[in-house]
Amino acid sequence: MSSKRDYYEVLSSSRDDSKDEIKTAFRKLALKYHPDRNKSPDAEEKFKEISEAYAVLSDDEKRAQYNQFGHAGISGRYTRDDIFRGADFNSIFKEMGFGFGGLNSIFDIFFGGRTRSRHGPQKGANLRYDLEITLEEAAKGLETEIEVPRSEICDTCNGSGAEPGTNPKKCPTCSGAGQTHHDRASGFMRFTEIRTCNKCNGKGTLVEHPCKICNGTRTVRRKRRIKVKIPKGIDDGYSLRLTKEGEAGIMGGPNGDLYLSIHVKPHQTFKRNGSNILYETYISFSQATLGAKIDIPTLNGKARLNIPAGTQTGTMFRLRGKGIPHLNRWGKGDQIVRMLIRTPTNLTQRQKNLFKELAKEMNEE
């Protein structure tokens, strides 16, 4: 799926567009590339591409999955017929004056009428877990455990859905295919409409004696503790993929994936800028004038900083290698220290006189 173009780019839309705006964009492109109007060699592929993009972005659940995980969130969760199911192709094509539309016509034209059986192996759904960590943990890395609620294959029936000692039987309506075929004609064209079997709901089998633990659903809900390793240098907003730690697959299909979304808590002392950290500190008027040596807090204890005489407010100093480790490569960023000069207040009369004498000597009166 990585070679696919972004769905929003395909429809010349943006992520902020409403469903009506997405539909309008699709209608415009469908009118341009529909095979009944456009006989160019690439029209068919273009039409298939925009149809898939519309099928995803017009569905709230699929669009949310796509916005969060990209193409991996679609291919990892939905079968090909799932992607197109529910999309409003019929009314759109009728408005444009075309005599066919709908899910099965899309498959008939572009996929040879072949749909993926819903009772075959299916990958489980992907999951997301939000993990909040401190800046220190982001810098040093972290090994921890998280507790994730997810569906898992029922141990009692081993995912068959049937009570131990019994077996599911083949659906007599669809002969185990999970689908029924219905021929229909439209003008000079003839289509085979493929429907999900309403007897077995596309499973291909019927369970006469459901498992008492999972009630025939084949899966159970559990809270699973999973060890995770957060690499050094990770930043706020990063997402880690834990393969096969998502929802259970169906009929022998692989588990989905778990996406660990990282949130780094704001720090009371430091601000982060990439691999560098920023720190502001106040020094006195005399320290700025005469110079001084001060201790600066870092992520790994204190560091001694030499303040030269005549330092101005806003001056930046760099502590090499005192920042955040670079993610997945050697080395660290720096700590940038910004000096702010604290103007003295509530002076005694003697202190005021001394400042007046200094100002006089420096011709500042």
Side-chain angles (χ1 to χ4, degrees), residues 241-365:
R241 179 185 179 188
L242 305 181
T243 305
K244 297 184 179 180
E245 293 292 359
E247 300 276 24
I250 302 299
M251 297 297 290
N255 286 5
D257 301 326
L258 173 63
Y259 287 84
L260 193 62
S261 184
I262 302 298
H263 304 277
V264 181
K265 293 188 289 188
H267 200 278
Q268 293 183 341
T269 305
F270 305 113
K271 291 183 179 180
R272 181 172 178 174
N273 183 13
S275 294
N276 296 332
I277 58 171
L278 309 178
Y279 173 74
E280 290 186 338
T281 187
Y282 282 92
I283 57 175
S284 68
F285 181 80
S286 59
Q287 286 175 316
T289 303
L290 302 176
K293 292 182 179 180
I294 62 173
D295 288 329
I296 297 294
T298 72
L299 290 173
N300 297 293
K302 293 184 178 180
R304 179 57 63 93
L305 181 62
N306 184 34
I307 309 298
T311 294
Q312 304 296 311
T313 190
T315 300
M316 303 282 194
F317 294 91
R318 185 181 297 270
L319 299 177
R320 300 283 182 183
K322 297 296 184 181
I324 306 289
H326 299 305
L327 184 62
N328 298 326
R329 61 188 178 93
W330 185 87
K332 293 183 177 181
D334 304 325
Q335 179 169 327
I336 310 300
V337 183
R338 183 171 183 258
M339 293 297 159
L340 301 174
I341 299 175
R342 181 180 288 110
T343 302
T345 58
N346 301 321
L347 298 175
T348 65
Q349 187 58 50
R350 180 174 180 276
Q351 290 170 334
K352 289 180 181 179
N353 291 336
L354 290 173
F355 270 105
K356 287 180 180 179
E357 290 182 19
L358 178 61
K360 184 176 181 179
E361 289 188 14
M362 298 181 68
N363 295 319
E364 293 179 351
E365 289 188 325

Side-chain angles (χ1 to χ4, degrees), residues 31-314:
L31 194 62
K32 178 178 180 181
Y33 292 110
H34 196 286
D36 279 3
R37 294 177 60 100
N38 192 326
K39 301 302 181 182
S40 62
D42 64 341
E44 188 171 297
E45 287 302 315
K46 288 280 189 182
F47 187 70
K48 184 170 68 173
E49 184 181 41
I50 63 174
S51 296
E52 180 179 324
Y54 174 70
V56 171
L57 300 184
S58 62
D59 183 281
D60 292 336
E61 180 183 344
K62 296 185 184 76
R63 186 174 182 177
Q65 283 287 315
Y66 180 72
N67 288 344
Q68 185 173 351
F69 301 115
H71 287 297
I74 302 302
S75 63
R77 181 165 185 170
Y78 303 101
T79 62
R80 184 166 57 180
D81 51 333
D82 285 334
I83 290 177
F84 285 88
R85 181 170 287 104
D88 183 23
F89 290 110
N90 271 313
S91 64
I92 294 176
F93 292 158
K94 286 179 181 178
E95 290 171 5
M96 294 190 298
F98 298 114
F100 61 91
L103 169 67
N104 295 293
S105 294
I106 291 291
F107 283 129
D108 290 339
I109 296 169
F110 298 115
F111 304 112
R114 296 188 301 273
T115 59
R116 185 178 302 172
S117 173
R118 292 180 57 78
H119 75 283
Q122 298 176 43
K123 183 178 179 181
N126 295 329
L127 295 176
R128 168 176 167 168
Y129 186 96
D130 293 279
L131 179 65
E132 189 176 60
I133 63 175
T134 65
L135 182 63
E136 287 83 358
E137 289 170 335
K140 297 176 182 179
L142 175 67
E143 292 188 21
T144 187
E145 281 190 346
I146 60 175
E147 190 175 73
V148 179
R150 67 183 187 184
S151 65
E152 298 185 355
I153 295 298
C154 177
D155 296 331
T156 302
C157 66
N158 292 320
S160 71
E163 186 68 15
T166 67
N167 294 304
K169 71 174 186 177
K170 182 186 296 186
C171 175
T173 301
C174 64
S175 300
Q179 300 167 336
T180 56
H181 296 243
H182 306 269
D183 291 333
R184 63 187 178 89
S186 177
F188 296 104
M189 304 182 71
R190 187 172 185 83
F191 302 100
T192 298
E193 186 175 0
I194 303 173
R195 301 175 186 169
T196 299
C197 177
N198 56 16
K199 180 72 173 178
C200 64
N201 293 320
K203 296 177 182 177
T205 58
L206 296 175
V207 177
E208 294 181 320
H209 304 284
C211 171
K212 292 182 175 63
I213 301 301
C214 67
N215 296 317
T217 63
R218 304 176 178 174
T219 61
V220 292
R221 296 295 295 179
R222 289 198 178 102
K223 290 184 178 180
R224 179 68 64 182
R225 297 193 66 83
I226 301 172
K227 291 183 178 181
V228 296
K229 185 174 182 180
I230 311 302
K232 297 179 181 179
I234 199 164
D235 204 349
D236 185 77
Y238 272 68
S239 183
L240 301 177
R241 179 185 179 188
L242 305 181
T243 305
K244 297 184 179 180
E245 293 292 359
E247 300 276 24
I250 302 299
M251 297 297 290
N255 286 5
D257 301 326
L258 173 63
Y259 287 84
L260 193 62
S261 184
I262 302 298
H263 304 277
V264 181
K265 293 188 289 188
H267 200 278
Q268 293 183 341
T269 305
F270 305 113
K271 291 183 179 180
R272 181 172 178 174
N273 183 13
S275 294
N276 296 332
I277 58 171
L278 309 178
Y279 173 74
E280 290 186 338
T281 187
Y282 282 92
I283 57 175
S284 68
F285 181 80
S286 59
Q287 286 175 316
T289 303
L290 302 176
K293 292 182 179 180
I294 62 173
D295 288 329
I296 297 294
T298 72
L299 290 173
N300 297 293
K302 293 184 178 180
R304 179 57 63 93
L305 181 62
N306 184 34
I307 309 298
T311 294
Q312 304 296 311
T313 190

